[in-house]
Amino acid sequence: MAQAKKSQNSDSQSNKSNTQDDRTQQTQTPDSLNHLANIIASHSQTQVSWQRSEDGSYSPSSFINRDLSLLQFNLRVLAQAASPHHPLLERLFFLIIFSSNMDEFFEIRVAGLIQKLNHGDVSNTPQGMRPSEVLKEISLVAHDAIDEQYRILNDALLPALAEQDIRYLKRDELNSEQSAWMKRYFTEQVSPVLTPISIDPAHPFPRLVNKSLNFIATLEGKDAFGRDINLAIVPAPRSLPRVIRLPDELTGGKEHHVMLSAVIHEHIGELFPGMSVTGCHQFRLTRNADLDLADDVDDIAKALEGELENRRFGDKVRLEVTTDCPAPISDYLLNEFELHHEQLYRVNGPVNLTRLLFDFNIPGLRYEPFTHIVPKPFRREFDKLDRSTSMFGAMRKSDVLVHHPFHAFSPVVNLLRQAASDPKVLAIKQTLYRSGTNSEIVQALAAAARNGKEVTAVIELRARFDEASNIAVANYLQEAGAVVVYGIVGYKTHAKLMLIVRREEDRIRRYVHLGTGNYHAGNAKVYTDYGLFTADYDISEDVHKIFQELTGMGKPANLKKLLHAPFTLHDKLMRFIDAEIAHAKAGKRAHIIVKVNALTERRLIAKLYDASQAGVKIELILRSICCLRPQVKGLSENITVRSVVGRFLEHTRVYYFYNNGDERMYCGSADWMDRNLFHRVEVAFPIENKKLFAQIYKDGLQNYLKDNMQAWTLDGTGAWTQVQPKPNEPIHIAQEHLLKTINHVGETS
């Protein structure tokens, strides 16, 4: 998370024989959802007072703070852990995703706010909030949310898991045989790799790695050298599993586990022979994990490798301890880390839930599995004799659309594989944002290079938290003979492009794949994304020009069909909205639908406000961040905002404009954020095939606007409310609907 990151299986799920009445009953809000709703409501404005200045700009109160909006998205993820609609193990997974999302939120967003505060408590955001104000509000919301997270874990999930014989046993719940086994495990597997560090003049407080599990022990007595030492730190090596499964012979084959923290806590006295351990408390420190890379570096790869080590020891931003940690100990740690009390989080359980096991293959407790479908054009062509080049034939006939994860990722891989072995293929060019050396995409590119194709890979090394993996991919492809470039310094290459150049009957033909998501097979199974396969001449020429920009030098390319950030995308979007405003003012129908991950860019928001006031109907489907205030009288009455959070991470980007009946639709890699529109290389591509246009409009837009179970709506105060089906209204879940219509999930054989 993503979310994210974030990811997993279907929404129709554990019991497909549920009746309508059963499903309606499941929509009743449990206590935990009520608690979350109260958290959201208590930190929202009660009214909005907006103004417009003489120059046409909107006042800061017209905008929602970006960081607080992102925090609200994390609460919507947490709500999935409390929702009885999801199978039990998937609810546990949502809880883990919430933990991971919050880790990144503190590592990046909170850390950035602290840096701004240290340089002066001055607002530089459209919302007008100072860093100190945002940090204060984050602290209030985050403390409430994390308390609720552990309440969901302890009061709902763990008891329900225990009923299924999935247990995380505490030390006092072990029988004598299990306790004896745990002692042997500690002696043989844990103790040899532990390094207790005493705190004394010769041993200053150790430098602890970001998010590592650590223990602070209070001691009595003298050590081997006769010293009176009363404090020690015991870091838990990352090589040790955080959750340990007890042997089958001790559990009858049941899924019973103990936490590493329990093992160390129980036997920590053995690390200090001759001394008494009077207290042992686990804690975890979160640091700033954002990389600070100058724009004038000589070698991005070498500079990144140096910065990756710094990420492990960035500035401190959060301290987590357990609820039973005494105040003198937590105060000591806060003082040592130079943190304030607002940065202390007491948790009623393990301090790191992201390492909790959840991936048990137990039918009924997971989403119902499904088969990823290959689009018909590629199935038909592959059944013909010339299988080595069948996909090229399909693309020559017509554009082909894939909608992941409902459609398989295999066509993307197969196209590369066919290109790698096809003697008519001369060159392959591709952007890579998140990948790995084991990726089938990377393997196919390497094979193509070894087969003598001219392979060019534009690898974005700075994809957050994948930097090391991308450096490894770059090295691997270079060794295979590919040309590797790192894009443009100062502009992340976020566009999803593949270009294949093929000689056919004494002419050159280009084949293209463009996508809204990364070339990552794992993501394609859990993220919703669109991919377009086309041999359209103008689009292929545009992609060719963009690759020339990325690998060479010169002025911005003059493109015929693609919208291209940082050059034309923002301006075109503004013009498209202006066109809808003109139609509305002329008394004509005007309609905009936008589905993206986030909306933060102030000028686009202001233009949408203008459009609303002109009478344009605007429907926004935003996964996470929204800085626009909808449904505010006089400001945005014609704008609705909804967010769908479900089994799959919503990742498609679709921009639709009615345009007086001559409808426009683009899919692309760019969210409506400052960074995407001005500081990244992005591409939006038109959907010109009428059949594909209708398919995206129906499945990717209208389908999500009908969702009345997994959707949340935003009001002008900044509060999100989960949509509930009206009495006698059929339940509609967008992702589940696609699974039924595309993958036939839930159908009886």
Side-chain angles (χ1 to χ4, degrees):
M1 336 192 99
Q3 158 219 299
K5 161 176 124 285
K6 306 199 160 215
S7 326
Q8 347 332 299
N9 305 325
S10 141
D11 252 64
S12 190
Q13 306 87 251
S14 58
N15 188 355
K16 60 185 177 183
S17 64
N18 282 342
T19 64
Q20 176 71 33
D21 290 341
D22 294 332
R23 295 294 292 278
T24 302
Q25 180 66 31
Q26 284 188 342
T27 68
Q28 302 303 308
T29 306
D31 287 344
S32 48
L33 287 180
N34 281 327
H35 290 161
L36 285 167
N38 289 334
I39 292 172
I40 294 173
S42 65
H43 296 285
S44 301
Q45 294 186 8
T46 56
Q47 60 182 7
V48 178
S49 176
W50 67 278
Q51 297 176 352
R52 192 166 185 175
S53 62
E54 292 182 359
D55 65 2
S57 62
Y58 291 91
S59 62
S61 61
S62 305
F63 303 89
I64 297 172
N65 179 267
R66 167 186 170 156
D67 296 307
L68 297 178
S69 182
L70 178 55
L71 188 54
Q72 295 286 344
F73 165 67
N74 289 335
L75 292 181
R76 299 198 294 280
V77 173
L78 179 59
Q80 308 312 305
S83 172
H85 172 71
H86 300 294
L88 180 58
L89 287 173
E90 307 298 344
R91 291 173 61 188
L92 179 62
F93 181 72
F94 278 115
L95 193 83
I96 293 169
I97 287 298
F98 172 77
S99 290
S100 176
N101 286 357
M102 290 300 289
D103 282 351
E104 183 173 338
F105 182 75
F106 277 92
E107 290 175 298
I108 305 299
R109 303 308 308 174
V110 173
L113 285 166
I114 292 173
Q115 283 185 327
K116 291 178 181 178
L117 178 61
N118 292 337
H119 287 93
D121 193 17
V122 179
S123 170
N124 60 355
T125 65
Q127 303 79 32
M129 295 181 71
R130 300 194 306 274
S132 62
E133 295 174 323
V134 181
L135 287 168
K136 180 179 179 180
E137 188 67 18
I138 286 173
S139 177
L140 293 172
V141 178
H143 276 92
D144 285 347
I146 289 171
D147 286 345
E148 184 61 24
Q149 174 193 21
Y150 280 85
R151 198 186 76 80
I152 293 170
L153 174 68
N154 294 316
D155 296 351
L157 297 185
L158 291 182
L161 289 167
E163 291 178 2
Q164 303 294 331
D165 272 330
I166 301 173
R167 302 190 66 189
Y168 301 90
L169 298 170
K170 297 180 181 179
R171 292 177 292 152
D172 58 5
E173 294 177 323
L174 300 177
N175 60 35
S176 58
E177 290 182 329
Q178 292 169 337
S179 294
W181 178 87
M182 186 171 74
K183 180 176 176 61
R184 290 195 301 273
Y185 184 87
F186 175 83
T187 302
E188 297 172 1
Q189 303 292 331
V190 179
S191 180
V193 294
L194 292 181
T195 304
I197 304 169
S198 62
I199 306 300
D200 63 67
H203 302 86
F205 199 96
R207 193 182 184 198
L208 301 176
V209 174
N210 182 33
K211 297 186 297 186
S212 60
L213 174 64
N214 301 279
F215 299 84
I216 183 168
T218 54
L219 310 168
E220 288 183 353
K222 296 184 181 295
D223 71 357
F225 298 94
R227 298 174 299 175
D228 286 312
I229 296 176
N230 54 24
L231 279 180
I233 302 296
V234 182
R238 296 201 167 189
S239 59
L240 295 175
R242 294 304 188 255
V243 183
I244 303 138
R245 190 177 191 274
L246 292 170
D248 287 347
E249 59 268 22
L250 298 180
T251 66
K254 299 175 182 177
E255 292 289 351
H256 288 185
H257 308 78
V258 292
M259 305 297 293
L260 175 66
S261 56
V263 175
I264 293 177
H265 197 160
E266 179 70 12
H267 300 287
I268 195 166
E270 297 180 28
L271 301 176
F272 305 98
M275 303 183 74
S276 297
V277 177
T278 58
C280 176
H281 307 282
Q282 58 177 300
F283 69 93
R284 189 171 76 131
L285 181 67
T286 307
R287 296 178 178 273
N288 184 337
D290 210 2
L291 298 182
D292 185 15
L293 194 65
D295 290 341
D296 58 352
V297 296
D298 295 326
D299 188 318
I300 289 181
K302 289 183 178 179
L304 266 177
E305 287 174 338
E307 280 295 314
L308 287 175
E309 180 63 22
N310 293 336
R311 168 179 283 168
R312 303 169 69 225
F313 300 106
D315 293 337
K316 288 83 70 175
V317 297
R318 177 182 60 166
L319 173 66
E320 295 168 281
V321 301
T322 53
T323 52
D324 60 356
C325 181
I329 296 298
S330 60
D331 288 345
Y332 169 79
L333 291 172
L334 286 173
N335 182 67
E336 187 64 41
F337 298 136
E338 299 178 322
L339 296 175
H340 303 292
H341 277 279
E342 309 88 72
Q343 295 168 285
L344 174 67
Y345 288 78
R346 292 184 174 274
V347 300
N348 188 17
V351 297
N352 185 1
L353 295 181
T354 59
R355 299 285 291 272
L356 206 61
L357 285 180
F358 78 98
D359 200 14
F360 309 108
N361 187 21
I362 302 177
L365 300 186
R366 302 300 306 272
Y367 291 131
E368 183 180 348
F370 67 95
T371 301
H372 302 270
I373 302 299
V374 174
K376 287 182 181 179
F378 289 149
R379 294 204 302 270
R380 286 196 298 265
E381 292 296 328
F382 196 73
D383 288 338
K384 295 181 179 180
L385 293 178
D386 187 13
R387 296 187 176 187
S388 63
T389 59
S390 60
M391 294 185 69
F392 298 119
M395 293 169 68
R396 284 195 300 271
K397 289 182 180 179
S398 178
D399 292 351
V400 181
L401 182 76
V402 289
H403 190 179
H404 306 302
F406 316 101
H407 289 133
F409 188 66
S410 57
V412 181
V413 178
N414 290 340
L415 180 62
L416 270 181
R417 286 176 173 168
Q418 289 184 12
S421 59
D422 183 358
K424 295 182 180 180
V425 169
L426 306 177
I428 302 172
K429 300 181 181 183
Q430 184 162 0
T431 59
L432 294 174
Y433 192 72
R434 298 188 189 276
S435 192
T437 54
N438 293 327
S439 160
E440 291 179 296
I441 290 286
V442 174
Q443 297 291 333
L445 288 173
R450 295 189 189 103
N451 289 340
K453 315 298 182 188
E454 295 296 325
V455 175
T456 302
V458 180
I459 301 179
E460 181 47 70
L461 296 181
R462 294 161 295 177
R464 184 175 290 149
F465 298 118
D466 279 312
E467 297 94 346
S469 174
N470 287 345
I471 290 172
V473 168
N475 293 336
Y476 177 80
L477 289 176
Q478 285 174 327
E479 291 173 359
V483 175
V484 174
V485 296
Y486 303 137
I488 309 299
V489 173
Y491 296 87
K492 283 188 178 180
T493 303
H494 193 245
K496 325 300 181 185
L497 307 171
M498 179 197 301
L499 174 68
I500 296 172
V501 182
R502 195 167 184 260
R503 177 176 285 122
E504 300 174 359
E505 300 174 354
D506 296 326
R507 61 165 289 190
I508 297 295
R509 186 188 290 271
R510 299 186 179 102
Y511 298 85
V512 167
H513 173 271
L514 308 102
T516 67
N518 301 310
Y519 289 108
H520 190 294
N523 287 358
K525 293 179 180 178
V526 294
Y527 288 19
T528 67
D529 273 307
Y530 281 116
L532 180 70
F533 296 82
T534 183
D536 180 270
Y537 179 85
D538 289 338
I539 290 179
S540 300
E541 181 69 15
D542 284 353
V543 173
H544 167 70
K545 290 179 179 178
I546 291 173
F547 273 110
Q548 285 185 318
E549 280 183 353
L550 293 172
T551 61
M553 300 177 67
K555 294 182 179 180
N558 184 16
L559 306 183
K560 294 182 179 180
K561 290 186 176 181
L562 300 184
L563 308 183
H564 183 22
F567 305 112
T568 61
L569 179 55
H570 184 269
D571 287 344
K572 283 287 189 179
L573 293 174
M574 296 285 279
R575 292 179 189 177
F576 292 162
I577 300 173
D578 276 331
E580 297 301 317
I581 292 174
H583 297 317
K585 288 182 176 179
K588 300 176 182 178
R589 176 185 170 186
H591 192 189
I592 297 171
I593 309 176
V594 178
K595 185 175 187 293
V596 291
N597 297 329
L599 170 61
T600 67
E601 205 282 307
R602 182 170 185 168
R603 281 177 285 175
L604 279 173
I605 294 174
K607 187 65 70 174
L608 290 173
Y609 286 154
D610 293 345
S612 173
Q613 293 160 34
V616 180
K617 180 181 179 181
I618 302 168
E619 297 174 292
L620 304 177
I621 309 168
L622 307 175
R623 185 188 77 204
S624 56
I625 307 171
C626 180
C627 295
L628 176 147
R629 293 189 184 276
Q631 299 292 289
V632 176
K633 185 176 181 179
L635 176 69
S636 56
E637 292 162 290
N638 290 315
I639 304 176
T640 59
V641 176
R642 62 169 38 211
S643 171
V644 174
V645 183
R647 171 179 181 175
F648 306 114
L649 184 74
E650 287 300 326
H651 200 250
T652 56
R653 287 101 167 190
V654 184
Y655 326 140
Y656 166 85
F657 305 89
Y658 181 68
N659 193 33
N660 196 29
D662 187 15
E663 298 166 291
R664 298 183 175 113
M665 181 185 289
Y666 286 82
C667 295
S669 57
D671 292 313
W672 285 20
M673 304 178 72
D674 303 69
R675 69 183 188 188
N676 297 84
L677 298 168
F678 304 117
H679 305 291
R680 290 186 174 185
V681 177
E682 305 273 14
V683 166
F685 49 94
I687 304 299
E688 299 179 319
N689 181 291
K690 292 183 179 180
K691 181 179 178 181
L692 301 186
F693 188 111
Q695 180 182 334
I696 295 175
Y697 185 82
K698 177 184 176 183
D699 292 345
L701 298 178
Q702 292 299 320
N703 175 44
Y704 283 87
L705 293 171
K706 294 177 183 177
D707 195 307
N708 58 12
M709 275 281 287
Q710 294 300 121
W712 299 66
T713 56
L714 177 67
D715 68 22
T717 70
W720 290 88
T721 303
Q722 186 161 13
V723 177
Q724 298 287 339
K726 299 175 183 177
N728 301 318
E729 180 185 20
I731 288 176
H732 186 88
I733 303 172
Q735 294 180 355
E736 210 170 280
H737 173 76
L738 294 174
L739 283 166
K740 291 176 181 177
T741 56
I742 298 175
N743 307 94
H744 311 295
V745 170
E747 293 185 359
T748 56
S749 56

